[in-house]
Amino acid sequence: MTRLRVTPAHHHGQDRLYVSLPDGTGVAWYDKSAGRVSLVYAARREAVLAALAPYLTGEVTVGPPPVPTPADLDRLSLHPDDDLAPNRPGESLQVQLDAMPSPGASLRLRLRQDARRGALLAQQFVGEQLDRLESAGWRVLHSVPLPGAASVDHLAIGPGGVLAIRTLPARKQRVRIDDPLVRTGRAEPLPQLRWARQAAERATLALAAAVGPVLVVAGAASLDVRPVPQDVRILHDTEVASLADLGGVLKPVDVEALYAAARDRHTWLRV
């Protein structure tokens, strides 16, 4: 069954919860003050009521919209060019790889391409693990673009708060973390923790909400962290599912409100 989204909004002085498909198509809304659920598509009645169940209070009338208007439906969706929800894990890397020269290119270009492919596979794997958190009340976005050609690999919003997640590809390599530097195999150490913190700081500015940095190490043969940083959560890719255990920070309605803001490309233009 397709999971429906519930998004809060203020409509002509009334608080509403809009219900939509993942692609933004509106299917219903709930007027709290009127105690009424208006169904755009009657066939989705049971799914809509299941999605709204945590928010319904008292007696509720369910039926078609009294007077459906274009304005009501417009609020349920973003323009496709502005909606980040469809972004795939590693979207920005995939675009770069698609633009790379053919296999007949120089060895130097092919090596760069191989490194990006490894990073893409890591982001795809971590992204799949994060998407499974939706059953625990989390919302996840991938490849969130930032000004200056930067991006947040993954943004997770759920009961445990908002997390900006950076993926470190380390297939079968030893990883040593000595804050802020991270050495992968025999490569030169890179300030991965600093980059993770910067992404979280920019997300905090964009969303006007606290965002915690997370570094997920994908496919490492071993991971040595000395000392353990207090402000950055470091996980093996196999530990991503443990984020479902976090809670006590955001209520469902807050999760949906932040997700609605985060999926809009314009939210990120000022950071």
Side-chain angles (χ1 to χ4, degrees), residues 35-115:
R36 179 181 179 84
V37 176
S38 298
L39 296 170
V40 179
Y41 300 103
R44 295 189 178 273
R45 176 188 175 103
E46 297 304 321
V48 166
L49 293 179
L52 288 173
Y55 313 100
L56 299 178
T57 57
E59 294 186 6
V60 176
T61 302
V62 181
V67 183
T69 66
D72 287 325
L73 298 180
D74 286 346
R75 289 175 177 270
L76 294 169
S77 62
L78 290 169
H79 189 282
D81 290 342
D82 296 327
D83 191 358
L84 302 178
N87 281 11
R88 301 164 294 177
E91 183 85 27
S92 57
L93 284 171
Q94 187 66 68
V95 171
Q96 294 175 28
L97 286 169
D98 289 344
M100 289 292 288
S102 65
S106 68
L107 175 61
R108 183 177 180 181
L109 286 177
R110 291 202 301 273
L111 288 174
R112 284 180 58 195
Q113 186 180 40
D114 289 344

Coordinates of all heavy atoms in Angstrom, one line a residue, residues 35-115:
G35 N -14.4 19.3 12.2 CA -14.5 17.8 12.5 C -14.9 17.1 11.2 O -15.7 16.1 11.3
R36 N -14.3 17.5 10.1 CA -14.7 16.9 8.8 C -13.5 16.5 8.0 O -12.5 17.2 7.9 CB -15.5 17.8 8.0 CG -16.0 17.3 6.6 CD -16.8 18.3 5.8 NE -17.1 17.7 4.5 CZ -18.2 16.9 4.3 NH1 -19.0 16.6 5.3 NH2 -18.4 16.4 3.1
V37 N -13.5 15.2 7.5 CA -12.5 14.8 6.5 C -13.1 14.8 5.1 O -14.1 14.2 4.9 CB -12.0 13.3 6.8 CG1 -11.0 12.9 5.8 CG2 -11.4 13.3 8.2
S38 N -12.5 15.6 4.3 CA -13.0 15.8 2.9 C -12.2 14.9 2.0 O -10.9 15.1 1.9 CB -12.9 17.2 2.4 OG -13.8 18.1 3.3
L39 N -12.8 14.0 1.3 CA -12.1 13.0 0.4 C -12.2 13.5 -1.0 O -13.3 13.7 -1.6 CB -12.8 11.6 0.5 CG -12.7 10.9 1.9 CD1 -13.6 9.7 1.9 CD2 -11.2 10.6 2.2
V40 N -11.0 13.7 -1.7 CA -11.0 14.0 -3.1 C -11.2 12.7 -3.9 O -11.9 12.7 -4.9 CB -9.6 14.6 -3.5 CG1 -9.6 14.9 -5.0 CG2 -9.4 15.9 -2.7
Y41 N -10.7 11.6 -3.4 CA -10.8 10.3 -4.0 C -11.4 9.3 -3.0 O -10.8 8.9 -2.1 CB -9.5 9.8 -4.5 CG -8.8 10.7 -5.5 CD1 -7.7 11.5 -5.1 CD2 -9.2 10.7 -6.8 CE1 -7.1 12.3 -6.1 CE2 -8.6 11.5 -7.8 CZ -7.6 12.3 -7.4 OH -7.0 13.2 -8.3
A42 N -12.7 9.0 -3.2 CA -13.4 8.2 -2.2 C -12.8 6.8 -2.1 O -12.9 6.2 -1.0 CB -14.9 8.1 -2.7
A43 N -12.2 6.3 -3.2 CA -11.6 5.0 -3.1 C -10.5 4.8 -2.1 O -10.1 3.7 -1.7 CB -11.1 4.6 -4.5
R44 N -9.9 6.0 -1.7 CA -8.8 5.9 -0.7 C -9.3 6.2 0.7 O -8.5 6.6 1.6 CB -7.7 7.0 -1.2 CG -7.0 6.6 -2.5 CD -5.8 7.5 -2.7 NE -5.2 7.1 -4.0 CZ -4.2 6.2 -4.1 NH1 -3.8 5.6 -3.0 NH2 -3.7 5.9 -5.2
R45 N -10.6 6.1 0.9 CA -11.1 6.4 2.2 C -10.4 5.7 3.4 O -10.0 6.4 4.3 CB -12.6 6.0 2.3 CG -13.3 6.2 3.6 CD -14.7 5.6 3.6 NE -15.3 5.7 4.9 CZ -16.2 6.6 5.3 NH1 -16.7 7.5 4.4 NH2 -16.7 6.6 6.5
E46 N -10.2 4.4 3.3 CA -9.6 3.6 4.4 C -8.2 4.1 4.6 O -7.7 4.2 5.8 CB -9.7 2.1 4.2 CG -11.1 1.6 4.1 CD -11.9 1.9 5.3 OE1 -11.3 1.9 6.5 OE2 -13.1 2.3 5.2
A47 N -7.4 4.2 3.5 CA -6.0 4.6 3.7 C -5.9 6.0 4.3 O -5.0 6.3 5.1 CB -5.3 4.6 2.3
V48 N -6.8 6.9 3.9 CA -6.8 8.3 4.4 C -7.1 8.3 5.9 O -6.4 8.9 6.7 CB -7.8 9.2 3.7 CG1 -8.1 10.5 4.4 CG2 -7.3 9.5 2.2
L49 N -8.1 7.6 6.3 CA -8.4 7.5 7.7 C -7.3 6.9 8.6 O -7.1 7.3 9.7 CB -9.7 6.7 7.9 CG -11.0 7.4 7.4 CD1 -12.2 6.6 7.6 CD2 -11.2 8.8 8.0
A50 N -6.6 5.9 8.0 CA -5.5 5.3 8.7 C -4.4 6.3 8.9 O -3.7 6.3 9.9 CB -5.0 4.0 7.9
A51 N -4.1 7.1 7.8 CA -3.0 8.1 7.9 C -3.4 9.2 8.9 O -2.5 9.7 9.6 CB -2.8 8.7 6.5
L52 N -4.7 9.5 9.0 CA -5.1 10.6 9.9 C -5.4 10.1 11.3 O -5.6 11.0 12.2 CB -6.3 11.3 9.3 CG -6.2 12.2 8.1 CD1 -7.5 12.6 7.6 CD2 -5.3 13.4 8.4
A53 N -5.4 8.8 11.5 CA -5.8 8.3 12.8 C -5.1 8.9 14.0 O -5.8 9.2 15.0 CB -5.6 6.8 12.8
P54 N -3.8 9.2 14.0 CA -3.1 9.8 15.1 C -3.6 11.2 15.4 O -3.3 11.8 16.5 CB -1.6 9.8 14.8 CG -1.5 8.8 13.7 CD -2.8 8.9 12.9
Y55 N -4.3 11.9 14.5 CA -4.6 13.3 14.6 C -6.1 13.5 14.9 O -6.5 14.6 15.3 CB -4.2 14.1 13.4 CG -2.8 13.8 12.9 CD1 -2.6 12.9 11.8 CD2 -1.7 14.3 13.5 CE1 -1.3 12.6 11.4 CE2 -0.4 14.1 13.1 CZ -0.2 13.2 12.0 OH 1.0 12.9 11.6
L56 N -7.0 12.5 14.6 CA -8.4 12.7 14.7 C -8.9 12.8 16.1 O -8.4 12.0 17.0 CB -9.2 11.6 13.9 CG -8.9 11.5 12.4 CD1 -9.6 10.3 11.8 CD2 -9.3 12.8 11.7
T57 N -9.8 13.7 16.4 CA -10.3 13.8 17.8 C -11.8 14.0 17.7 O -12.3 14.7 16.9 CB -9.7 15.0 18.6 OG1 -10.0 16.2 17.8 CG2 -8.2 14.8 18.7
G58 N -12.5 13.3 18.6 CA -14.0 13.5 18.7 C -14.7 12.8 17.5 O -14.1 12.0 16.8
E59 N -15.9 13.2 17.3 CA -16.7 12.7 16.1 C -16.2 13.4 14.9 O -16.1 14.6 14.8 CB -18.2 12.9 16.4 CG -18.7 12.0 17.5 CD -20.2 12.2 17.6 OE1 -20.8 12.8 16.7 OE2 -20.8 11.6 18.6
V60 N -16.1 12.6 13.8 CA -15.6 13.1 12.6 C -16.5 12.7 11.4 O -16.9 11.5 11.3 CB -14.2 12.7 12.3 CG1 -13.7 13.1 10.9 CG2 -13.2 13.1 13.3
T61 N -16.9 13.7 10.6 CA -17.7 13.4 9.4 C -16.7 13.1 8.2 O -15.8 13.9 8.0 CB -18.6 14.6 9.1 OG1 -19.5 14.8 10.2 CG2 -19.5 14.2 7.8
V62 N -17.0 12.1 7.4 CA -16.2 11.8 6.3 C -17.0 11.8 5.0 O -18.1 11.2 5.0 CB -15.5 10.4 6.5 CG1 -14.6 10.1 5.3 CG2 -14.7 10.3 7.8
G63 N -16.6 12.5 4.0 CA -17.3 12.6 2.8 C -16.6 13.4 1.7 O -15.5 13.8 1.9
P64 N -17.3 13.7 0.6 CA -16.6 14.5 -0.4 C -16.5 15.9 0.0 O -17.2 16.4 0.9 CB -17.6 14.3 -1.6 CG -18.9 14.0 -1.0 CD -18.6 13.2 0.2
P65 N -15.6 16.7 -0.6 CA -15.5 18.1 -0.2 C -16.8 18.9 -0.5 O -17.4 18.7 -1.5 CB -14.4 18.6 -1.2 CG -13.7 17.4 -1.6 CD -14.7 16.3 -1.6
P66 N -17.2 19.7 0.5 CA -18.4 20.5 0.3 C -18.4 21.4 -1.0 O -19.3 21.4 -1.8 CB -18.5 21.4 1.6 CG -17.6 20.6 2.6 CD -16.6 20.0 1.8
V67 N -17.3 22.1 -1.1 CA -17.1 22.9 -2.3 C -15.6 22.8 -2.7 O -14.8 23.6 -2.3 CB -17.5 24.4 -2.1 CG1 -17.4 25.2 -3.3 CG2 -18.9 24.5 -1.5
P68 N -15.2 21.8 -3.5 CA -13.8 21.7 -3.9 C -13.4 22.9 -4.8 O -14.1 23.2 -5.7 CB -13.8 20.4 -4.6 CG -15.2 20.1 -5.1 CD -16.1 20.8 -4.1
T69 N -12.3 23.5 -4.5 CA -11.8 24.6 -5.2 C -10.3 24.3 -5.7 O -9.6 23.5 -5.1 CB -11.8 25.9 -4.4 OG1 -10.8 25.7 -3.3 CG2 -13.1 26.1 -3.8
P70 N -9.9 24.9 -6.8 CA -8.5 24.8 -7.2 C -7.5 25.2 -6.1 O -6.4 24.6 -6.0 CB -8.4 25.7 -8.4 CG -9.8 25.8 -8.9 CD -10.7 25.8 -7.7
A71 N -7.9 26.2 -5.3 CA -6.9 26.6 -4.2 C -6.7 25.5 -3.2 O -5.6 25.3 -2.7 CB -7.5 27.8 -3.5
D72 N -7.8 24.7 -2.9 CA -7.6 23.6 -2.0 C -6.6 22.6 -2.5 O -5.7 22.1 -1.8 CB -8.9 22.9 -1.7 CG -9.9 23.8 -0.9 OD1 -9.4 24.5 0.0 OD2 -11.1 23.7 -1.1
L73 N -6.7 22.3 -3.8 CA -5.8 21.2 -4.3 C -4.4 21.8 -4.6 O -3.5 21.0 -4.5 CB -6.4 20.7 -5.7 CG -7.8 20.1 -5.6 CD1 -8.3 19.6 -6.9 CD2 -7.8 18.9 -4.6
D74 N -4.3 23.0 -4.9 CA -3.0 23.6 -5.1 C -2.1 23.5 -3.8 O -0.9 23.3 -3.9 CB -3.1 25.1 -5.5 CG -3.5 25.2 -6.9 OD1 -3.5 24.2 -7.7 OD2 -3.9 26.3 -7.3
R75 N -2.7 23.6 -2.7 CA -2.0 23.5 -1.4 C -1.4 22.2 -1.1 O -0.5 22.0 -0.3 CB -2.8 24.0 -0.2 CG -3.2 25.5 -0.2 CD -4.1 25.8 0.9 NE -4.4 27.2 0.9 CZ -3.7 28.1 1.7 NH1 -2.7 27.6 2.4 NH2 -4.0 29.4 1.7
L76 N -1.9 21.2 -1.9 CA -1.5 19.8 -1.6 C -0.2 19.4 -2.4 O 0.3 18.3 -2.2 CB -2.6 18.8 -2.0 CG -3.9 19.0 -1.1 CD1 -5.0 18.2 -1.7 CD2 -3.6 18.5 0.3
S77 N 0.3 20.3 -3.2 CA 1.4 19.8 -4.1 C 2.3 21.0 -4.3 O 1.9 22.2 -4.3 CB 0.9 19.2 -5.4 OG 0.2 20.2 -6.1
L78 N 3.6 20.6 -4.6 CA 4.6 21.6 -5.1 C 4.7 21.4 -6.6 O 4.4 20.4 -7.2 CB 5.9 21.3 -4.4 CG 6.0 21.6 -2.9 CD1 7.3 21.1 -2.4 CD2 6.0 23.1 -2.7
H79 N 5.2 22.5 -7.2 CA 5.6 22.3 -8.6 C 6.7 21.2 -8.7 O 7.6 21.2 -7.9 CB 6.2 23.6 -9.2 CG 6.4 23.6 -10.6 ND1 7.5 23.0 -11.2 CD2 5.6 24.1 -11.7 CE1 7.4 23.2 -12.5 NE2 6.3 23.8 -12.8
P80 N 6.6 20.3 -9.7 CA 7.6 19.3 -9.8 C 9.1 19.7 -9.7 O 9.9 19.0 -9.2 CB 7.3 18.6 -11.1 CG 5.8 18.9 -11.3 CD 5.6 20.2 -10.7
D81 N 9.3 20.9 -10.3 CA 10.7 21.4 -10.3 C 11.2 21.8 -8.9 O 12.4 21.9 -8.6 CB 10.9 22.6 -11.2 CG 10.7 22.2 -12.7 OD1 10.9 20.9 -12.9 OD2 10.5 23.0 -13.5
D82 N 10.2 22.1 -8.0 CA 10.6 22.5 -6.6 C 10.5 21.5 -5.6 O 10.9 21.7 -4.4 CB 9.7 23.7 -6.2 CG 9.9 24.9 -7.1 OD1 11.0 25.1 -7.6 OD2 8.9 25.6 -7.4
D83 N 10.0 20.3 -5.9 CA 9.8 19.2 -4.9 C 11.0 18.3 -4.9 O 11.3 17.7 -5.9 CB 8.5 18.4 -5.3 CG 8.1 17.5 -4.2 OD1 8.7 17.4 -3.2 OD2 7.0 16.8 -4.4
L84 N 11.6 18.2 -3.7 CA 12.8 17.4 -3.5 C 12.5 16.0 -3.1 O 13.4 15.1 -3.1 CB 13.7 18.0 -2.5 CG 14.2 19.4 -2.7 CD1 15.1 19.9 -1.5 CD2 15.0 19.5 -4.0
A85 N 11.2 15.7 -2.8 CA 10.8 14.3 -2.4 C 11.2 13.2 -3.4 O 11.6 12.1 -3.0 CB 9.3 14.3 -2.1
P86 N 11.1 13.5 -4.7 CA 11.4 12.4 -5.7 C 12.9 12.1 -5.8 O 13.3 11.1 -6.5 CB 10.8 12.9 -7.0 CG 9.8 13.9 -6.6 CD 10.4 14.6 -5.4
N87 N 13.8 13.0 -5.2 CA 15.2 12.8 -5.4 C 15.6 11.4 -4.9 O 15.3 11.0 -3.8 CB 16.0 13.8 -4.6 CG 16.1 15.2 -5.3 OD1 15.4 15.4 -6.3 ND2 16.9 16.1 -4.9
R88 N 16.4 10.7 -5.7 CA 17.0 9.4 -5.4 C 18.2 9.6 -4.5 O 18.9 10.6 -4.6 CB 17.3 8.6 -6.6 CG 16.2 8.4 -7.6 CD 16.7 8.0 -9.0 NE 17.5 9.0 -9.6 CZ 18.1 8.9 -10.8 NH1 18.1 7.8 -11.4 NH2 18.8 9.9 -11.3
P89 N 18.6 8.5 -3.7 CA 19.8 8.6 -3.0 C 21.0 8.7 -4.0 O 21.0 8.0 -5.0 CB 19.9 7.2 -2.3 CG 18.5 6.8 -2.1 CD 17.8 7.3 -3.4
G90 N 21.9 9.7 -3.8 CA 23.0 9.9 -4.7 C 22.6 10.6 -6.0 O 23.3 10.5 -7.0
E91 N 21.5 11.3 -6.0 CA 21.0 11.9 -7.2 C 22.0 12.8 -7.9 O 22.3 12.8 -9.1 CB 19.8 12.8 -6.9 CG 19.1 13.4 -8.1 CD 18.1 12.5 -8.8 OE1 17.6 11.6 -8.2 OE2 18.0 12.8 -10.0
S92 N 22.7 13.7 -7.1 CA 23.7 14.6 -7.6 C 24.9 13.8 -8.2 O 25.4 14.2 -9.3 CB 24.2 15.6 -6.5 OG 24.7 14.9 -5.4
L93 N 25.3 12.7 -7.6 CA 26.4 11.9 -8.1 C 26.0 11.3 -9.4 O 26.8 11.2 -10.4 CB 26.8 10.9 -7.1 CG 27.7 11.4 -5.9 CD1 27.8 10.3 -4.9 CD2 29.0 11.8 -6.4
Q94 N 24.7 10.8 -9.5 CA 24.2 10.1 -10.7 C 24.3 11.1 -11.8 O 24.6 10.7 -13.0 CB 22.8 9.6 -10.4 CG 22.3 8.8 -11.6 CD 23.0 7.5 -11.7 OE1 23.0 6.6 -10.9 NE2 23.8 7.3 -12.8
V95 N 23.9 12.3 -11.6 CA 23.9 13.3 -12.7 C 25.3 13.6 -13.2 O 25.6 13.7 -14.4 CB 23.3 14.7 -12.2 CG1 23.5 15.8 -13.2 CG2 21.8 14.5 -11.9
Q96 N 26.3 13.6 -12.2 CA 27.7 13.8 -12.6 C 28.2 12.6 -13.4 O 28.9 12.8 -14.4 CB 28.6 14.0 -11.4 CG 28.3 15.3 -10.6 CD 29.1 15.3 -9.3 OE1 30.1 14.7 -9.2 NE2 28.5 16.0 -8.3
L97 N 27.9 11.4 -13.0 CA 28.3 10.2 -13.7 C 27.7 10.1 -15.1 O 28.4 9.7 -16.1 CB 28.0 9.0 -12.9 CG 28.9 8.8 -11.7 CD1 28.3 7.7 -10.8 CD2 30.3 8.4 -12.1
D98 N 26.4 10.5 -15.2 CA 25.8 10.5 -16.5 C 26.5 11.4 -17.5 O 26.4 11.2 -18.7 CB 24.3 10.8 -16.4 CG 23.5 9.8 -15.7 OD1 24.0 8.6 -15.6 OD2 22.4 10.0 -15.2
A99 N 27.1 12.5 -17.0 CA 27.8 13.5 -17.9 C 29.2 13.1 -18.1 O 29.9 13.9 -18.8 CB 27.7 14.9 -17.2
M100 N 29.7 12.0 -17.5 CA 31.1 11.7 -17.7 C 31.4 11.2 -19.1 O 30.5 10.7 -19.8 CB 31.5 10.6 -16.7 CG 31.6 11.1 -15.2 SD 33.0 12.2 -14.9 CE 34.4 11.1 -15.0
P101 N 32.7 11.3 -19.5 CA 33.1 10.9 -20.9 C 32.9 9.3 -21.0 O 32.7 8.6 -20.1 CB 34.6 11.2 -21.0 CG 34.8 12.3 -19.9 CD 33.8 12.0 -18.8
S102 N 32.9 8.9 -22.2 CA 32.7 7.5 -22.6 C 33.9 6.6 -22.0 O 34.9 7.2 -21.6 CB 32.7 7.3 -24.1 OG 33.9 7.7 -24.7
P103 N 33.7 5.3 -22.0 CA 34.8 4.4 -21.5 C 36.2 4.6 -22.2 O 37.2 4.2 -21.7 CB 34.3 3.0 -21.8 CG 32.8 3.2 -21.8 CD 32.5 4.5 -22.4
G104 N 36.2 5.2 -23.4 CA 37.4 5.5 -24.1 C 38.2 6.7 -23.6 O 39.2 7.0 -24.1
A105 N 37.7 7.3 -22.5 CA 38.4 8.5 -22.0 C 39.7 8.1 -21.3 O 40.0 6.9 -21.2 CB 37.4 9.2 -21.0
S106 N 40.4 9.1 -20.9 CA 41.7 8.9 -20.3 C 41.6 8.1 -18.9 O 40.5 8.1 -18.3 CB 42.4 10.2 -20.0 OG 41.7 10.9 -19.0
L107 N 42.7 7.5 -18.5 CA 42.7 6.7 -17.3 C 42.4 7.6 -16.1 O 41.7 7.2 -15.2 CB 44.1 6.1 -17.1 CG 44.4 5.3 -15.8 CD1 43.4 4.2 -15.6 CD2 45.8 4.9 -15.7
R108 N 42.9 8.8 -16.1 CA 42.6 9.7 -15.0 C 41.1 10.0 -14.8 O 40.6 9.9 -13.7 CB 43.4 11.1 -15.2 CG 43.2 12.0 -14.1 CD 44.0 13.3 -14.3 NE 43.9 14.3 -13.2 CZ 44.5 15.4 -13.2 NH1 45.2 15.8 -14.3 NH2 44.3 16.3 -12.2
L109 N 40.4 10.2 -15.9 CA 39.0 10.5 -15.9 C 38.3 9.2 -15.4 O 37.3 9.3 -14.7 CB 38.5 10.9 -17.2 CG 38.8 12.4 -17.6 CD1 38.3 12.7 -19.0 CD2 38.2 13.4 -16.6
R110 N 38.7 8.0 -15.9 CA 38.0 6.8 -15.5 C 38.2 6.5 -14.0 O 37.3 6.0 -13.4 CB 38.6 5.6 -16.3 CG 38.2 5.7 -17.8 CD 38.3 4.3 -18.4 NE 39.6 3.7 -18.4 CZ 40.6 3.9 -19.2 NH1 40.4 4.7 -20.3 NH2 41.7 3.3 -19.1
L111 N 39.4 6.9 -13.4 CA 39.6 6.7 -12.0 C 38.7 7.6 -11.2 O 38.1 7.2 -10.2 CB 41.0 6.9 -11.7 CG 42.0 5.8 -12.1 CD1 43.5 6.3 -11.8 CD2 41.7 4.5 -11.5
R112 N 38.5 8.8 -11.7 CA 37.6 9.7 -11.0 C 36.2 9.2 -11.0 O 35.4 9.2 -10.1 CB 37.6 11.1 -11.6 CG 38.9 11.9 -11.3 CD 38.8 13.3 -12.0 NE 37.6 14.0 -11.6 CZ 37.1 15.1 -12.3 NH1 37.8 15.5 -13.4 NH2 36.0 15.7 -11.9
Q113 N 35.8 8.6 -12.2 CA 34.5 8.1 -12.3 C 34.3 6.9 -11.4 O 33.2 6.7 -10.8 CB 34.3 7.6 -13.8 CG 32.8 7.1 -14.1 CD 32.7 6.7 -15.5 OE1 33.6 6.1 -16.1 NE2 31.6 7.1 -16.1
D114 N 35.3 6.0 -11.2 CA 35.2 4.9 -10.4 C 35.0 5.3 -8.9 O 34.2 4.7 -8.2 CB 36.5 4.0 -10.5 CG 36.5 3.3 -11.8 OD1 35.5 3.2 -12.5 OD2 37.6 2.8 -12.1
A115 N 35.7 6.4 -8.5 CA 35.5 6.9 -7.1 C 34.1 7.3 -6.9 O 33.5 7.1 -5.8 CB 36.5 8.0 -6.8

